[in-house]
């Protein structure tokens, strides 16, 4: 959008040599002059203008999720950002003296018409003020008339009455300057009579209309079109009634045909639609949230699935945020130099500490990140297409590797863990938490049954540590299918089942021994899922 804005600006300068104006410095005084004494006119030339400026406003619904009316937060964010963009003085003067632009009645290039009525009123008040001050001065200074109290009273009254209008106008501007539109709306929402305040929506709508008129005025002054782009995010982590409130605000308060607003609604429809269907805003639409979204959204843009290069770029961006690892490399090198200089006492090497084990993990972490970012490695094929999941994987791998190294150090063997295998295990737990939890639960149940009856399954004991995790899952997948109804929400967390098979059966054939080693350091797997599966499996066997 910024590139489009620059291209349109350049092409418009070729058509019209007059440069756009900005309400800064001398331009601010010009804008105040036009606000006070001129009325804007929408001409044919203005409608033909192609140059445009986008005012970007970001609204995170999560920041206002705690307030009673989330849509009020949307309106206050809009008012606050427009006020900050143009300045409080311009908007305050417009509230007092500004007028809505009117369309030209014919073919004319005149974009500003003098406010004859305003000028006559101003000159009349100044004239009356001058007359009153003259009478007062004559009554106070001219000899022989000083004792005339009537002239003093008349002069004071005329001067005060005429000057009071100017003082009231200045006071109104000062009031709007100190009390912003955001504070006005917040004051209304915080009122104890908010629920029974019938004119509340009308007042909010009037504030929005005033903003729309102000933007139309600034369009003519700046000689370009203005569009306010509202990016609404984090709506899919709010309560259902909050979601419906924001969408209703978009439809009712800000959806005027001439309103210069563009909404970018960044949401997950699979989350938003159930929220809408739980509220009462679906009347007449057969409780179909998709119909409601189709009527609200005028330009749907479903982000396509990430390709291989896009996934690698996402991994690279997530890795670059871990600057702490780079500093740890420097610190680790310093610690190694100190250890070499000091050596051991009496020729006995020093025992590695937890800090040294943690610093040694940095090289393993970088190796794991290299495997993730290597397009030729099969592991990159299983990376998720969701940026949030990629960041979770990148943040989990360092913790997993440090825990593995710390566990080895506690046992007295400081062997470096396999970084690629650890990274693959983290990806497995993130992509298929339900299926992995089921395989681990079946593995745990099999181990418990062997402990309780060691002589009943000698073959299973002999194969312990060599059985593939995929074989364990495949043997018990029928039982998981029977429990798919109570585990419906958990199963929906998993990715492609066919990729799960190729991951465990061919590319990363983890064994039951590998699973036992990784289970104690698996921090990105919700263990309550496995606990729930164990309870359901036990109840099913009782039946």
């Amino acid at each position: 959008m910024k590139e489009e804005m620059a291209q349109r600006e350049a092409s418009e300068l070729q058509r019209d040599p007059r440069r756009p104006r900005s309400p800064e410095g001398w331009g601010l005084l010009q804008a105040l002059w036009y606000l006070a004494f001129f009325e804007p006119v929408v001409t044919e030339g203005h409608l033909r203008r192609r140059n445009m400026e986008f005012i970007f406003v970001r609204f995170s619904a999560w920041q206002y999720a705690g307030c009673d009316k989330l849509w009020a937060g949307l309106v206050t964010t809009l008012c606050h950002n427009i006020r900050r963009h143009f300045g409080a003085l311009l908007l305050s003067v417009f509230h007092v003296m500004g007028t809505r632009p009117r369309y030209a009645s014919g073919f004319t290039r005149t974009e500003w018409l003098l406010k004859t009525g305003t000028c006559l009123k101003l000159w009349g008040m100044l004239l009356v003020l001058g007359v009153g001050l003259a009478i007062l001065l004559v009554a106070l200074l001219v000899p022989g008339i000083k004792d005339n109290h009537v002239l003093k009273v008349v002069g004071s009254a005329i001067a005060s009455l005429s000057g009071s209008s100017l003082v009231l106008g200045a006071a109104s501007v000062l009031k709007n300057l100190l009390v912003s539109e955001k504070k006005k709306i917040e004051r209304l929402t915080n009122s104890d009579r908010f629920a029974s305040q019938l004119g509340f929506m009308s007042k909010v709508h009037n504030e929005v209309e005033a903003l729309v008129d102000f933007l139309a005025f600034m369009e003519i002054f700046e000689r370009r079109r203005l569009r306010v782009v509202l990016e609404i995010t984090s709506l899919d982590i709010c309560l259902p009634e909050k979601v419906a409130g924001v969408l209703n605000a978009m439809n009712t308060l800000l959806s005027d045909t001439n309103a210069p607003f563009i909404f970018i609604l960044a949401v997950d429809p699979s989350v938003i639609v159930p929220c809408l269907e739980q509220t009462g805003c679906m009347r007449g639409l057969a409780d179909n949230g998709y119909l409601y979204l189709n009527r609200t959204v005028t330009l749907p843009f479903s982000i396509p699935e990430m390709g291989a290069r896009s996934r690698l770029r996402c991994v690279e961006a997530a890795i670059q945020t871990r600057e702490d690892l780079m500093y740890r490399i420097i610190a680790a090198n310093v610690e190694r130099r100190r250890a070499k200089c000091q050596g051991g006492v009496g020729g006995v090497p020093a025992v590695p500490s937890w800090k040294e084990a943690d610093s040694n993990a940095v090289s393993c972490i970088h190796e794991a990140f290299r495997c993730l970012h290597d397009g030729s490695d099969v592991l990159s094929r299983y990376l998720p297409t969701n940026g949030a999941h990629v960041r979770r994987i990148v943040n989990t791998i360092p913790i997993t590797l440090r825990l593995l190294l710390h566990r080895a150090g506690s046992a007295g063997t400081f062997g470096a863990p396999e970084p690629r295998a650890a990274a693959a295990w983290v990806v497995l737990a993130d992509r298929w938490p339900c299926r992995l939890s089921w395989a681990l639960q079946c593995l745990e149940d099999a181990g418990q049954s062997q402990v309780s009856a060691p002589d009943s399954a000698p073959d299973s004991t002999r194969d312990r540590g060599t059985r593939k995790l995929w074989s364990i899952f495949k043997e018990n997948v029928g039982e998981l299918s029977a429990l798919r109804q109570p585990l419906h929400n958990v199963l929906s967390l998993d990715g492609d089942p066919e990729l799960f098979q190729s991951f465990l059966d061919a590319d990363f054939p983890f064994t039951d021994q590998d699973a036992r080693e990784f289970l104690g350091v698996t921090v990105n797997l919700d263990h309550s899922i496995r606990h729930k599966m164990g309870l359901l499996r036990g109840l099913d066997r009782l039946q």
Side-chain angles (χ1 to χ4, degrees):
M1 295 177 81
K2 291 181 179 179
E3 292 176 359
E4 179 75 13
M5 187 168 58
Q7 293 174 2
R8 290 194 176 200
E9 198 74 48
S11 61
E12 183 65 22
L13 285 176
Q14 296 178 358
R15 190 185 70 86
D16 188 354
R18 296 183 301 172
R19 288 186 170 273
R21 288 181 291 206
S22 175
E24 297 177 356
W26 176 250
L28 177 60
L29 298 178
Q30 280 185 300
L32 292 174
W33 176 261
Y34 281 117
L35 270 175
F37 301 108
F38 289 91
E39 180 184 4
V41 179
V42 180
T43 62
E44 183 183 3
H46 175 71
L47 295 176
R48 287 182 177 178
R49 286 188 176 121
R50 302 294 298 166
N51 56 333
M52 186 176 296
E53 180 185 5
F54 294 108
I55 303 171
F56 297 98
V57 178
R58 285 184 167 86
F59 175 74
S60 177
W62 178 248
Q63 297 179 358
Y64 296 88
C67 65
D68 293 334
K69 296 295 181 181
L70 184 60
W71 59 265
L74 173 64
V75 178
T76 55
T77 302
L78 171 67
C79 296
H80 174 71
N81 281 270
I82 292 179
R83 183 184 180 91
R84 186 176 61 179
H85 181 81
F86 292 102
L89 182 60
L90 268 180
L91 193 55
S92 302
V93 174
F94 179 83
H95 274 287
V96 178
M97 307 182 67
T99 56
R100 175 184 296 183
R102 63 182 182 87
Y103 286 88
S105 56
F107 294 98
T108 178
R109 300 187 63 182
T110 304
E111 294 182 336
W112 301 98
L113 294 178
L114 187 66
K115 295 179 183 178
T116 308
T118 302
C119 293
L120 290 177
K121 290 178 182 178
L122 180 61
W123 284 111
M125 284 189 295
L126 292 176
L127 181 62
V128 173
L129 179 61
V131 171
L133 290 175
I135 294 174
L136 185 59
L137 290 174
V138 168
L140 292 174
L141 302 176
V142 176
I145 312 180
K146 291 182 178 181
D147 298 331
N148 194 333
H149 296 288
V150 177
L151 285 179
K152 293 180 180 180
V153 172
V154 171
S156 301
I158 294 175
S160 60
L161 288 175
S162 57
S164 62
S165 300
L166 298 176
V167 173
L168 287 175
S172 299
V173 173
L174 184 61
K175 178 183 176 182
N176 284 279
L177 191 63
L178 297 177
V179 183
S180 64
E181 296 77 12
K182 179 180 179 180
K183 291 183 179 178
K184 293 178 185 177
I185 298 175
E186 288 178 347
R187 186 180 299 170
L188 290 173
T189 54
N190 293 332
S191 174
D192 295 336
R193 297 177 293 114
F194 170 72
S196 60
Q197 201 166 8
L198 299 179
F200 175 78
M201 291 293 290
S202 176
K203 293 179 181 179
V204 175
H205 197 271
N206 291 337
E207 293 292 339
V208 175
E209 283 186 347
L211 287 180
V212 172
D213 296 340
F214 174 72
L215 290 172
F217 173 88
M218 294 305 300
E219 278 189 351
I220 300 175
F221 173 77
E222 294 190 8
R223 301 192 186 116
R224 58 187 165 198
R225 313 303 290 272
L226 297 175
R227 293 293 180 268
V228 180
V229 182
L230 288 101
E231 178 190 351
I232 301 177
T233 60
S234 305
L235 193 60
D236 40 14
I237 58 176
C238 297
L239 296 177
E241 58 271 15
K242 310 290 186 181
V243 174
V246 171
L247 295 179
N248 286 333
M250 291 170 50
N251 291 329
T252 57
L253 293 176
L254 307 173
S255 60
D256 185 46
T257 54
N258 296 321
F261 301 116
I262 300 173
F263 289 95
I264 299 179
L265 191 62
V267 295
D268 185 356
S270 64
V271 179
I272 294 297
V273 168
C275 291
L276 293 174
E277 292 175 350
Q278 292 178 27
T279 60
C281 64
M282 306 300 303
R283 296 173 183 174
L285 295 175
D287 294 334
N288 192 330
Y290 288 101
L291 284 179
Y292 187 88
L293 277 184
N294 289 339
R295 295 189 181 187
T296 303
V297 179
T298 56
L299 177 59
F301 185 88
S302 296
I303 299 178
E305 187 175 343
M306 281 189 188
R309 285 183 296 180
S310 298
R311 284 201 297 266
L312 293 180
R313 282 198 297 267
C314 188
V315 170
E316 183 180 4
I319 292 174
Q320 288 176 353
T321 61
R322 299 303 304 265
E323 295 179 355
D324 58 313
L325 297 177
M326 307 305 297
Y327 295 116
R328 286 178 179 273
I329 290 179
I330 299 174
N333 293 335
V334 174
E335 291 292 336
R336 287 195 189 95
R337 291 193 189 98
R338 289 180 180 176
K340 287 181 179 179
C341 294
Q342 295 176 358
V345 180
V348 180
V351 178
S353 63
W354 157 251
K355 290 185 177 180
E356 183 176 350
D358 183 63
S359 61
N360 290 335
V362 175
S363 59
C364 297
I365 294 170
H366 277 269
E367 176 63 22
F369 285 165
R370 188 198 63 78
C371 297
L372 283 180
H373 192 256
D374 188 1
S376 61
D377 197 314
V378 70
L379 181 59
S380 62
R381 173 191 170 199
Y382 297 100
L383 288 175
T385 58
N386 186 292
H389 283 268
V390 171
R391 288 192 293 271
R392 286 177 55 175
I393 291 173
V394 169
N395 291 332
T396 306
I397 286 176
I399 299 175
T400 303
L401 285 169
R402 286 191 176 102
L403 290 175
L404 282 172
L405 199 59
H406 178 55
R407 170 180 286 188
S410 301
T413 58
F414 277 88
E418 177 62 33
R420 184 171 180 269
W425 183 264
V426 171
V427 172
L428 175 65
D430 185 85
R431 293 298 309 276
W432 299 280
C434 180
R435 286 170 170 79
L436 177 59
S437 297
W438 180 255
L440 293 175
Q441 181 60 38
C442 295
L443 178 62
E444 180 183 342
D445 292 344
Q448 291 174 352
S449 62
Q450 290 172 8
V451 170
S452 59
D455 298 332
S456 59
D459 296 335
S460 300
T461 306
R462 186 171 57 252
D463 295 338
R464 185 175 180 178
T466 60
R467 292 191 63 196
K468 292 171 60 175
L469 198 60
W470 168 250
S471 302
I472 298 174
F473 176 82
K474 188 176 180 181
E475 291 175 2
N476 301 275
V477 68
E479 197 173 350
L480 176 63
S481 178
L483 298 174
R484 65 180 179 273
Q485 187 62 31
L487 295 175
H488 172 73
N489 291 338
V490 182
L491 276 170
S492 62
L493 300 175
D494 285 3
D496 191 345
E498 295 179 355
L499 285 179
F500 176 73
Q501 178 178 353
S502 62
F503 187 98
L504 277 183
D505 190 26
D507 296 326
F508 298 95
F510 290 112
T511 63
D512 55 350
Q513 183 63 32
D514 297 330
R516 291 187 178 91
E517 291 179 359
F518 281 119
L519 182 59
V521 297
T522 306
V523 296
N524 63 328
L525 184 64
D526 187 356
H527 297 290
S528 65
I529 298 176
R530 191 157 48 91
H531 178 66
K532 181 179 180 180
M533 288 177 172
L535 293 177
L536 291 174
R537 199 179 188 205
L539 291 174
D540 186 65
R541 289 182 174 181
L542 286 176
Q543 294 175 358

